[in-house]
Amino acid sequence: MSINTFGRLLRFTTWGESHGPALGAVVDGCPPGLELSEAAIQPFLDARRPGQSKFTTQRQEPDTVRILSGVFEGRTTGTPISLMIENVDQRSKDYSEVAKAYRPGHADYAYDAKYGFRDYRGGGRSSARETAARVAAGAVARLVIPEVAILGYVSEIGGDAIDPANFNADEIARNPFFCPDAAAAIRWEKIVDDARLAGSSVGGVVECLAIGVPAGWGAPLYGKLDADLAAGMMGINAVKGVEIGDGFAAARLTGEGNADPMRPGNDGPVFTANHAGGIAGGISTGQPVKVRVAFKPTSSILTPVETIDRDGQAAEIRTKGRHDPCVGIRGVPVVEAMMALVLADHKLLHRGQCG
Amino acid sequence: MSINTFGRLLRFTTWGESHGPALGAVVDGCPPGLELSEAAIQPFLDARRPGQSKFTTQRQEPDTVRILSGVFEGRTTGTPISLMIENVDQRSKDYSEVAKAYRPGHADYAYDAKYGFRDYRGGGRSSARETAARVAAGAVARLVIPEVAILGYVSEIGGDAIDPANFNADEIARNPFFCPDAAAAIRWEKIVDDARLAGSSVGGVVECLAIGVPAGWGAPLYGKLDADLAAGMMGINAVKGVEIGDGFAAARLTGEGNADPMRPGNDGPVFTANHAGGIAGGISTGQPVKVRVAFKPTSSILTPVETIDRDGQAAEIRTKGRHDPCVGIRGVPVVEAMMALVLADHKLLHRGQCG
Amino acid sequence: MSINTFGRLLRFTTWGESHGPALGAVVDGCPPGLELSEAAIQPFLDARRPGQSKFTTQRQEPDTVRILSGVFEGRTTGTPISLMIENVDQRSKDYSEVAKAYRPGHADYAYDAKYGFRDYRGGGRSSARETAARVAAGAVARLVIPEVAILGYVSEIGGDAIDPANFNADEIARNPFFCPDAAAAIRWEKIVDDARLAGSSVGGVVECLAIGVPAGWGAPLYGKLDADLAAGMMGINAVKGVEIGDGFAAARLTGEGNADPMRPGNDGPVFTANHAGGIAGGISTGQPVKVRVAFKPTSSILTPVETIDRDGQAAEIRTKGRHDPCVGIRGVPVVEAMMALVLADHKLLHRGQCG
Amino acid sequence: MSINTFGRLLRFTTWGESHGPALGAVVDGCPPGLELSEAAIQPFLDARRPGQSKFTTQRQEPDTVRILSGVFEGRTTGTPISLMIENVDQRSKDYSEVAKAYRPGHADYAYDAKYGFRDYRGGGRSSARETAARVAAGAVARLVIPEVAILGYVSEIGGDAIDPANFNADEIARNPFFCPDAAAAIRWEKIVDDARLAGSSVGGVVECLAIGVPAGWGAPLYGKLDADLAAGMMGINAVKGVEIGDGFAAARLTGEGNADPMRPGNDGPVFTANHAGGIAGGISTGQPVKVRVAFKPTSSILTPVETIDRDGQAAEIRTKGRHDPCVGIRGVPVVEAMMALVLADHKLLHRGQCG
């Protein structure tokens, strides 16, 4: 089934294809009275915008957002907020090859198996352009949780990880990789550029911290804060893994090594570690919420790959066109948006049940 | 908010605490006419049952399931199936220490922060006993997808992984660890027993394959097959990470290395690799669906850990009582159950939209 | 599809058949810390209980409720509350006739058309016994809205309506009809008894007021307070019509006649009329919320009715057994329960969005 | 909470205000491969369009729909269909009076009580213009149920009902009232024109038949076909009552009088009556599904009505501007749309569970 709505109380629904006239999101359930204008959303779209360096796709999209409803005299009314972004640079191109043969690693074959046909222009609905709608929706969600600071960054590209000792949040905005380690950013230039020049691609890992989440958001089961984060992150294009806190590394620890001891503090407990990533039993603990997200290398590469065509015959395909050599980079604003959307939803849910 | 329902068309709702009279699940949306009896559910509960070896908790629970509704003359009626498991071995014990101080790593502090108080007996609602209800619900879900074979196993304990070259599915039932590598199973005996004797605990990784899933189940966005699996798995007690296919390892590959080329086959395409874990763009590809799940070491350890009490005062706590030295082991039937529940739901969803 | 869950934040899921071992409800999303015991639920079940006068079915059911989860030391924990009611008086009887032929007006034919077969014993899942689970769930919902007083009563039986001039809330508990008009109650004795003796049945109308609902609960569209009430009431067995405020009578008024003018009051506006039934634009106005619900006469009658059997052959059926000559009477506690459940849900929803 | 999504498998989300730049709907879950173009939607919008006779509001809106996503090469892709209608005739006018004082009968006071403020221009989100979005969504839903013919009409205006003996479906399109009784249509001219000239308004009743619904759509409880219809209809602006089949009239019948006897037919049973309106136990019976919907007179009248202003002071208000003297008339395409949306959803739900 097609399921394009995410969230429980604060919900958003996205629509639009890579090569249609526009794409957008409808954000529903937003509290009333919050100051909102297009100017509050645009910077987040700009951060995700393609074509800003040679390390991302050269598609040129202004990604200008319009608010079509739900705001009156500069404030949210509590009714649905319709956000629209027009597609501008749908370069006319020959799609006959993609229309006929399935690009391995892409959703082409799975779409045809499900729906019987597909909009093959630029990936159609499975294009990463859809994430612009999430970023716009996420900008609204941020207004719901002013107490929370969200910090996303790339921690690994092509297997080359940052050195935690070099972590400097101020660096993130200073390089085209959202990299908090100045030395790693320099190394990554070569990694990504080499991939780009070779018509290849590399994967990456995005980390995201949410600082200021109070203890008590979430739920004990199913709609757990970590389960909803996992769903939100795994639902981003190209994501193949999600970790909360230490994630898989926790599976290699002992109970003693994984403990997050508490001491009395002035403002609730002081934790001496945060292996749990700020979530215990599905509920926030008051520590920073930490998520790690694995992005695969984009499947659009120039090297020919064996495939089949729509008639089931053997074929070979190489994906020309404009692509991100590392989709994880532009994944940072998307991961931040999903973090904001999940947290804002759980803030409202908690308030609904517990007052 | 409390959210104890999972699924969209095939939904289940669980209830019950560790030390209440019973726990259970209501499975709704099940197709009619499927043969169902308690005997079809019990083996899965037996696989999860505690107290079967020295490597799991010594709590003795028969975990006998009763079907209270939704079955008539041995077949599902299409109406809700109520499953109940009585708690038998709620050993009377002194909970005053746990009631007063928060066990680090457990949900104790987060619960109190959310709800103002908690049922502290054996973890209350956050006890892993809740997973018995999922396993029972999962047994019903399996009936909905007879075309799918689900194979779960432990692939790593305490940082010691199986050797893929030794993989033998027949081994899984031959050792108390659901381990497909006979040599690893022998090593794990010592690892787990050492942890048990030391009052410590170790983490583990569970892998699960679903073989026979046809291409086309899932959705392009949000309600993606992988996003729903991520939510389902991350919602299991003690889970901190979820991977689909190669997961984080994919983030270290190039586009060429991560490709899953296709060749013509007799029955749809033949894939020459499965880095994607059987899911592309949120939709199944016809390959085996593969999930990896990281279980942290249980936080119940005999070593005293620094904590605070309900009054915010410094305290120290050690968790006596009956615990699993490695909760990942008994996680295997739970992971399998969640796999079955997600897949069965998506089978019905796909049929609903696409006929 | 089978959909046995109702509500958005405060949700309940019911299960069970007329002749199964038990039936029940799982109430999820309830705020924590509310005092709850079986004694708080039982009076509402007793009000709905069959066999209390000759005017209702003679099935004898104690309808004793057990709380299986979600309550600790006498207070709700915020986790799911499992309520179970055992079936006691499933009289062994010959169902071969009902199994073979469809009772007109009942769900028999529609069930078979949908599911291919059905549990025919006492109506199975479509038995009005299911409403016991709603009444139990409704008793929990009442705890969430202590500011609201709910008053349900029968206003019409067999076409004979109460005289509003005779309305006396104290009368409701003094007669077996939940009738607020002492004179009408006397007339109804004959109407219902005549129907009973003739093996016939009569319809009725239940009205329900909720006093104390503050202005602001509800939503402008789709999840409107009146739309949710309409769904909740129309979902009760035998209900064929729902009105808010003046309902169909409003369609015969002019704009002037239907106006609900406001004057300044000490505590918000004073309304000089309540044609709207306390709801404008889907949102409560602070006036009493008023719903009217039409119950058809039960289709179980002794007069033979033309029908077909499972093989499509002509047949005739008369429904022996124990039946309510006027199902509307015992509908009063059910309507009250649904009112409480909808209002409690919207209280939490409003708090979630608007704080 | 704001809830602007309706449906379970086939879902639609609407957005937009009376005086914003546009309004729209996102239809999600639509089966793939259905032929869809703007030309397939426009006629239904035209039927609802204002300003077509002196009996409806004089606002001039072309209500031209644009499809922004979800359609490729003339067919639905299975992904979300975004429909947008631009607002054209938002006449600039002085709203200071409406901004300051609450119009009785409108949602003004309830909105302010809920959200703290409101978009007062033309009713904002509570304007009946929102129903254009439903009509557009309904046009998509019709494609999902080609086997069903939907026939809506006005059966009563200002208390003057049609004579069933005069019913002629062909008449419906021949007069500006969607009236199937030519004689009544003539009488209604005077009723509605008198109301219009007096600056008053009258109520009306809309009936809707769905012919061709097979037996088996719906659910036994909560998500019953009739409960979902009741929610859908009661959620339309100005609606105060919903009946299925005989509705409240059924409450005045005996069991014998209300029976719908069955006889063998060539194609399932032949029913000799349809008091039930095509739905038994929440599930369709194969007979025509019949709904009756009561529209109150619009509260926008020229007669001054007592009210209060935002400061709680006494005031008087008369609603100038362009209004429908009988909102029920243009309610017909909206009721038809909701009928199509509910039925299409239940078709998919039934297929999902029962294959």
Side-chain angles (χ1 to χ4, degrees), chain C residues 294-310:
Chain C
F295 285 82
K296 69 175 183 181
T298 178
S299 304
S300 298
I301 50 177
L302 280 177
T303 306
V305 185
E306 222 181 339
T307 189
I308 61 169
D309 64 20
R310 291 208 61 181

Side-chain angles (χ1 to χ4, degrees), chain A residues 146-173:
Chain A
E147 64 271 57
V148 177
I150 295 176
L151 185 69
Y153 52 90
V154 177
S155 68
E156 185 182 312
I157 282 185
D160 182 10
I162 60 169
D163 179 349
N166 287 350
F167 187 97
N168 178 354
D170 296 335
E171 283 297 325
I172 296 170

Side-chain angles (χ1 to χ4, degrees), chain C residues 1-3 109 111 114 130 134 200-201 216 218-222 240 242 244 250 255-256 263 269 276 297 306 350 353, chain D residues 1-3 109 111 114 130 134 200-201 216 218-222 240 242 244 250 255-256 263 269 276 297 306 350 353:
Chain C
M1 190 182 59
S2 179
I3 301 161
Y109 172 70
Y111 260 65
K114 183 172 196 72
E130 187 270 346
R134 301 183 190 223
S200 180
S201 63
L221 285 165
Y222 304 105
K240 300 303 285 186
V242 180
I244 305 293
E256 293 78 18
R263 286 179 196 158
E306 222 181 339
H350 178 63
Q353 186 185 15
Chain D
M1 190 181 58
S2 179
I3 301 161
Y109 171 70
Y111 260 66
K114 183 174 195 71
E130 187 269 347
R134 302 182 190 222
S200 180
S201 63
L221 285 166
Y222 305 105
K240 301 302 285 185
V242 181
I244 305 293
E256 293 77 18
R263 285 179 196 159
E306 222 181 338
H350 177 63
Q353 186 185 16

Side-chain angles (χ1 to χ4, degrees), chain B residues 29-30 65 78 120 125 146 181 200 210 248 258 281 299 304 315 324 330 346:
Chain B
C30 183
V65 67
Y120 43 74
R125 181 66 180 150
D181 171 350
S200 180
F248 279 83
N258 190 53
S299 304
D324 284 285
R330 292 204 296 131
H346 275 281

Side-chain angles (χ1 to χ4, degrees), chain B residues 24-158:
Chain B
V26 181
V27 181
D28 199 8
C30 183
L34 305 177
E35 283 188 31
L36 177 62
S37 67
E38 281 130 0
I41 302 174
Q42 197 60 49
F44 299 101
L45 285 167
D46 290 346
R48 182 205 155 278
R49 193 150 58 86
Q52 301 188 90
S53 78
K54 65 179 174 181
F55 305 110
T56 59
T57 171
Q58 293 310 299
R59 180 166 172 167
Q60 292 295 333
E61 286 287 355
D63 280 349
T64 306
V65 67
R66 282 185 67 199
I67 298 174
L68 297 178
S69 70
V71 175
F72 181 59
E73 296 182 342
R75 288 187 296 156
T76 59
T77 60
T79 64
I81 301 164
S82 179
L83 306 169
M84 186 168 73
I85 298 160
E86 287 183 59
N87 285 326
V88 171
D89 185 15
Q90 313 108 295
R91 191 172 296 181
S92 67
K93 105 168 207 196
D94 180 7
Y95 282 104
S96 57
E97 198 179 4
V98 179
K100 192 157 175 302
Y102 302 119
R103 295 168 301 165
H106 279 288
D108 299 357
Y109 171 70
Y111 260 66
D112 266 15
K114 183 172 195 71
Y115 295 124
F117 80 122
R118 76 198 133 96
D119 177 352
Y120 43 74
R121 300 163 307 162
R125 181 66 180 150
S126 67
S127 165
R129 267 199 73 63
E130 188 269 348
T131 59
R134 301 183 191 223
V135 170
V140 176
R142 287 169 189 263
L143 303 177
V144 178
I145 46 168
E147 63 271 58
V148 178
I150 295 176
L151 185 69
Y153 51 90
V154 178
S155 68
E156 185 182 313
I157 282 185

Side-chain angles (χ1 to χ4, degrees), chain A residues 21-46:
Chain A
L23 53 87
V26 182
V27 181
D28 199 8
C30 183
L34 305 177
E35 283 188 30
L36 177 63
S37 67
E38 280 129 1
I41 302 174
Q42 197 60 49
F44 298 101
L45 285 168
D46 291 346

Side-chain angles (χ1 to χ4, degrees), chain B:
Chain B
M1 191 182 57
S2 179
I3 302 161
N4 292 276
T5 299
F6 187 89
R8 301 168 194 271
L9 277 196
L10 185 76
R11 296 172 309 283
F12 70 101
T13 302
T14 77
W15 55 270
E17 286 89 37
S18 172
H19 282 57
L23 53 87
V26 181
V27 181
D28 199 8
C30 183
L34 305 177
E35 283 188 31
L36 177 62
S37 67
E38 281 130 0
I41 302 174
Q42 197 60 49
F44 299 101
L45 285 167
D46 290 346
R48 182 205 155 278
R49 193 150 58 86
Q52 301 188 90
S53 78
K54 65 179 174 181
F55 305 110
T56 59
T57 171
Q58 293 310 299
R59 180 166 172 167
Q60 292 295 333
E61 286 287 355
D63 280 349
T64 306
V65 67
R66 282 185 67 199
I67 298 174
L68 297 178
S69 70
V71 175
F72 181 59
E73 296 182 342
R75 288 187 296 156
T76 59
T77 60
T79 64
I81 301 164
S82 179
L83 306 169
M84 186 168 73
I85 298 160
E86 287 183 59
N87 285 326
V88 171
D89 185 15
Q90 313 108 295
R91 191 172 296 181
S92 67
K93 105 168 207 196
D94 180 7
Y95 282 104
S96 57
E97 198 179 4
V98 179
K100 192 157 175 302
Y102 302 119
R103 295 168 301 165
H106 279 288
D108 299 357
Y109 171 70
Y111 260 66
D112 266 15
K114 183 172 195 71
Y115 295 124
F117 80 122
R118 76 198 133 96
D119 177 352
Y120 43 74
R121 300 163 307 162
R125 181 66 180 150
S126 67
S127 165
R129 267 199 73 63
E130 188 269 348
T131 59
R134 301 183 191 223
V135 170
V140 176
R142 287 169 189 263
L143 303 177
V144 178
I145 46 168
E147 63 271 58
V148 178
I150 295 176
L151 185 69
Y153 51 90
V154 178
S155 68
E156 185 182 313
I157 282 185
D160 182 11
I162 60 169
D163 179 348
N166 287 350
F167 188 96
N168 178 354
D170 295 336
E171 282 297 325
I172 296 170
R174 290 193 192 128
N175 60 70
F177 304 109
F178 298 97
C179 178
D181 171 350
I186 291 168
R187 299 195 305 270
W188 293 354
E189 283 197 24
K190 178 166 165 48
I191 291 172
V192 178
D193 211 37
D194 284 356
R196 182 180 67 85
L197 292 170
S200 180
S201 63
V202 287
V205 174
V206 173
E207 294 184 6
C208 188
L209 298 170
I211 299 158
V213 177
W217 292 1
L221 285 166
Y222 305 104
K224 294 166 95 139
L225 186 54
D226 37 4
D228 281 1
L229 284 169
M233 300 304 169
M234 196 69 92
I236 299 172
N237 307 45
V239 170
K240 301 303 285 186
V242 181
E243 295 181 319
I244 306 293
D246 283 5
F248 279 83
R252 295 189 291 271
L253 296 176
T254 61
E256 293 77 19
N258 190 53
D260 292 329
M262 287 180 266
R263 286 180 195 158
N266 295 326
D267 195 27
V270 172
F271 291 84
T272 60
N274 187 14
H275 297 285
I279 304 174
I283 302 171
S284 60
T285 62
Q287 296 182 275
V289 172
K290 182 178 179 186
V291 181
R292 295 185 79 241
V293 184
F295 286 81
K296 69 175 183 182
T298 179
S299 304
S300 299
I301 50 176
L302 279 178
T303 307
V305 185
E306 221 181 339
T307 190
I308 60 169
D309 64 21
R310 291 208 61 183
D311 303 321
Q313 301 303 309
E316 208 178 60
I317 198 162
R318 26 179 289 176
T319 314
K320 289 156 286 190
R322 305 161 296 173
H323 303 290
D324 284 285
C326 177
V327 284
I329 299 170
R330 292 204 296 131
V332 171
V334 184
V335 166
E336 287 192 349
M338 294 308 298
M339 175 71 93
L341 286 155
V342 170
L343 291 174
D345 190 22
H346 275 281
K347 176 181 179 176
L348 302 189
L349 287 165
H350 177 64
R351 186 162 74 184
Q353 186 185 16
C354 298

